[in-house]
Amino acid sequence: MGFTEDDIKSVKSYLIKLLSKYKIEIPEVKLDNLVTHINIAIVRMRNELMIEQQFQIEEQPLPKELKAFFQEMIQFIEHRFDLNLPKKEMDYLYIHFVTTGIMNEVTNVPRNNMIETMIKHMLDHIKRIFYLDLTTDNALKKNLYLHLCTSIHRYKYKMNIRNPMLNEIKQNYPFAFDIALVASKMIEKDLKVQISESEIGYLALHFEMALNRIETDKGKLNVILVCNSGLTSSQLIKYKLMQNFGNQIQISEIIELYNIHKANLKQSDLIISTVPINDTVDLPVLYVNPIMSQQDLDKIQRYIDLKDSHHSEALIEIIELKTKLNNKDDLLKFLNTQLKKRDLIHSGFIDSVEEREQHASTAYGNLVAIPHPVMPLAKQTFIYMITMEKPIAWDDKEVQIVFCLGLKKNTTINLEKMYQNLTDIINDYTKVLKLIEADNEEQFHKVFSP
């Protein structure tokens, strides 16, 4: 026995009535999702295909209106379809109820300390691995919280969902996907679960939004402005600095001299001060006049220019063209030998690359693979570029050009810029073919770094 159009309409119509009764507003897609799961459960029970699995239901802190909603929903299903739901079936519907995301739409959901702690672990780990501080991005933390409120139950109950955007996410946002992969390791550790590649893809979208938010401030110096003058004067100095150096610096704090010990020195690059600072501060200090002169502006510009020239380490580039490697295993062995010979990697580098491949293949399509470890296991940050005479099998794709990335701990290289360059290559098949056809490093470089 199947599920008729009338069945679907009656279930949806009743759920809409309940939503109205309890003053809950949810998007249509979440309502349809819940209706679909109810439909599946009823068809299965009508055909006497009962659930055998015993679900471990944890007490979910549902708001009282959702508890009442769920109870009335069960009563309606039993009455409408003349069923007596066994506990296992009720548990099955409960799991789907909490995993549809209906909870997120109710404003008085209690705070979940476990999820907040988990987000802190994720962001701290990302900071250690990528030298990327997302811990102050409140929008990201809120988005991750809402995402995990729903998905945490899917992880626990192994309710695998398909991500139709997965390939596009991996191709277009490889850096965000890597961040999400590292974040997922912390979720797995905290929850003792396994997270699918599809779920990692959904997490990656939140990190891509966070990366977009910080892109405008990338490379700017964080400056603390120290003044002893009034608020108006300090704001005038700030305005003058932003007018002249808006693309190069950002004022993170304006602080009085007597409060200098409260300043966030660790997150800053420079102090600009109108008064002598007698305290020992572990930051460079530039002194300027309360009414800034051209001489003051020139002094700041010289400092920025000098800082930029020493700001980042050099990215080591290695190129091997038209090699005769025949398969993925041979390629990884070749990389391991060559990188050890050049003393560029710590022990465990290739093991970590292989572990990364097990979690999510780095073959992104268009004949390109970007193998790399999930941890910073390089002694210097490098990119090892290899083209092959013939494509090789790489999981379910063919690969003819490999970009192996190795990150040094606390690297100062702009990783987002490097990943963006690789993203552009992945999505431009003409460019990929030109790189594969290159006969020498000069030809390769003209395409790789135009």
Side-chain angles (χ1 to χ4, degrees):
M1 288 174 65
F3 203 76
T4 68
E5 195 65 35
D6 283 346
D7 292 337
I8 294 170
K9 282 181 182 173
S10 67
V11 171
K12 188 168 181 178
S13 172
Y14 190 79
L15 292 183
I16 289 170
K17 199 183 293 182
L18 285 183
L19 289 169
S20 174
K21 177 179 177 179
Y22 292 107
K23 296 182 174 58
I24 299 169
E25 291 184 19
I26 66 169
E28 187 85 4
V29 66
K30 291 187 178 180
L31 176 61
D32 288 340
N33 197 4
L34 186 55
V35 171
T36 300
H37 289 308
I38 291 170
N39 296 351
I40 292 167
I42 291 167
V43 169
R44 198 185 53 254
M45 284 185 275
R46 278 177 168 173
N47 289 280
E48 298 182 353
L49 299 168
M50 297 296 185
I51 289 271
E52 294 299 325
Q53 181 183 351
Q54 181 69 54
F55 294 106
Q56 294 298 313
I57 298 294
E58 293 183 13
E59 189 55 41
Q60 174 66 20
L62 288 181
K64 63 180 180 182
E65 60 265 52
L66 284 189
K67 279 184 182 174
F69 185 115
F70 181 73
Q71 286 164 358
E72 285 195 41
M73 182 185 87
I74 294 295
Q75 288 167 6
F76 165 76
I77 291 167
E78 290 188 323
H79 177 73
R80 169 68 176 76
F81 299 100
D82 194 21
L83 293 167
N84 186 13
L85 293 181
K87 185 176 186 309
K88 286 180 182 177
E89 292 293 346
M90 226 176 288
D91 288 348
Y92 173 84
L93 284 173
Y94 178 82
I95 290 166
H96 282 292
F97 183 70
V98 297
T99 59
T100 52
I102 190 171
M103 286 173 50
N104 300 349
E105 307 301 330
V106 180
T107 54
N108 61 342
V109 178
R111 299 306 294 172
N112 186 316
N113 291 333
M114 180 192 71
I115 292 178
E116 288 178 343
T117 301
M118 196 157 52
I119 290 169
K120 183 180 185 307
H121 289 166
M122 287 160 60
L123 299 184
D124 286 348
H125 197 49
I126 288 163
K127 188 175 177 181
R128 282 195 298 275
I129 298 294
F130 295 104
Y131 202 51
L132 176 68
D133 190 357
L134 299 172
T135 57
T136 58
D137 188 335
N138 291 324
L140 172 65
K141 287 192 274 194
K142 181 184 175 186
N143 290 338
L144 287 173
Y145 184 90
L146 290 175
H147 179 87
L148 290 169
C149 276
T150 301
S151 57
I152 203 168
H153 301 286
R154 294 200 300 268
Y155 306 155
K156 284 183 178 179
Y157 303 127
K158 298 179 182 174
M159 316 290 284
N160 293 325
I161 57 168
R162 183 176 162 271
N163 186 340
M165 302 177 291
L166 182 61
N167 285 335
E168 285 76 13
I169 291 167
K170 289 172 71 176
Q171 277 190 10
N172 292 294
Y173 313 132
F175 189 34
F177 188 84
D178 269 0
I179 294 170
L181 182 64
V182 166
S184 75
K185 296 292 113 196
M186 297 310 292
I187 299 173
E188 290 181 344
K189 187 177 176 185
D190 285 343
L191 293 181
K192 309 289 187 290
V193 296
Q194 273 196 313
I195 298 180
S196 70
E197 201 175 354
S198 282
E199 293 283 8
I200 294 169
Y202 284 121
L203 275 174
L205 294 176
H206 294 295
F207 290 112
E208 178 61 22
M209 287 191 287
L211 290 173
N212 286 338
R213 280 192 291 275
I214 63 173
E215 182 58 29
T216 52
D217 294 331
K218 197 80 174 176
K220 291 184 180 180
L221 295 179
N222 282 315
V223 173
I224 297 172
L225 180 56
V226 179
C227 299
N228 250 9
S229 44
L231 180 63
T232 305
S233 300
S234 60
Q235 289 298 326
L236 283 173
I237 295 171
K238 178 182 176 181
Y239 173 73
K240 191 84 169 174
L241 288 170
M242 297 319 294
Q243 187 182 35
N244 286 274
F245 309 107
N247 293 327
Q248 297 165 296
I249 69 171
Q250 54 185 354
I251 309 294
S252 54
E253 288 181 83
I254 299 177
I255 202 162
E256 299 88 351
L257 179 61
Y258 65 85
N259 274 329
I260 188 75
H261 60 284
K262 293 181 181 177
N264 189 355
L265 300 176
K266 285 185 179 177
Q267 297 294 322
S268 303
D269 302 298
L270 173 68
I271 293 173
I272 294 177
S273 178
T274 61
V275 289
I277 298 173
N278 297 321
D279 295 34
T280 303
V281 289
D282 193 21
L283 272 183
V285 181
L286 293 183
Y287 292 105
V288 296
N289 293 297
I291 297 175
M292 291 180 70
S293 64
Q294 187 58 47
Q295 195 175 353
D296 292 324
L297 297 175
D298 290 344
K299 183 196 297 184
I300 294 167
Q301 188 62 64
R302 279 196 302 275
Y303 178 85
I304 293 170
D305 291 343
L306 189 64
K307 180 80 174 169
D308 281 349
S309 67
H310 296 97
H311 178 63
S312 64
E313 69 206 67
L315 173 67
I316 295 171
E317 294 184 358
I318 308 159
I319 300 172
E320 300 266 1
L321 301 176
K322 299 191 173 178
T323 61
K324 297 185 190 300
L325 295 160
N326 293 318
N327 56 63
K328 181 180 174 183
D329 287 342
D330 285 352
L331 185 137
L332 293 178
K333 283 175 190 168
F334 173 78
L335 276 171
N336 194 33
T337 303
Q338 295 301 316
L339 292 169
K340 279 182 177 175
K341 203 181 284 183
R342 289 173 165 85
D343 195 29
L344 283 174
I345 56 174
H346 295 291
S347 61
F349 181 92
I350 288 296
D351 290 340
S352 188
V353 168
E354 289 172 342
E355 183 193 345
R356 166 71 175 80
E357 290 292 328
Q358 286 168 13
H359 288 294
S361 174
T362 59
Y364 294 116
N366 277 352
L367 300 176
V368 178
I370 309 178
H372 55 283
V374 290
M375 303 288 282
L377 290 169
K379 295 179 181 179
Q380 297 294 326
T381 299
F382 66 82
I383 180 165
Y384 201 140
M385 297 170 273
I386 303 173
T387 65
M388 284 155 281
E389 285 188 348
K390 293 178 182 176
I392 62 171
W394 194 292
D395 302 323
D396 60 341
K397 294 184 172 66
E398 285 197 325
V399 166
Q400 201 171 352
I401 183 167
V402 166
F403 300 92
C404 178
L405 295 181
L407 304 183
K408 171 188 166 189
K409 193 174 182 183
N410 296 348
T411 181
T412 56
I413 286 171
N414 186 335
L415 299 178
E416 174 68 5
K417 188 177 176 184
M418 184 167 69
Y419 272 93
Q420 188 56 56
N421 188 26
L422 292 173
T423 301
D424 293 343
I425 290 168
I426 291 168
N427 290 304
D428 189 340
Y429 191 56
T430 306
K431 195 178 270 193
V432 171
L433 291 179
K434 284 181 181 175
L435 289 169
I436 291 168
E437 289 163 4
D439 291 316
N440 54 58
E441 290 190 15
E442 189 182 351
Q443 287 177 9
F444 190 96
H445 254 293
K446 275 184 183 174
V447 180
F448 181 70
S449 306

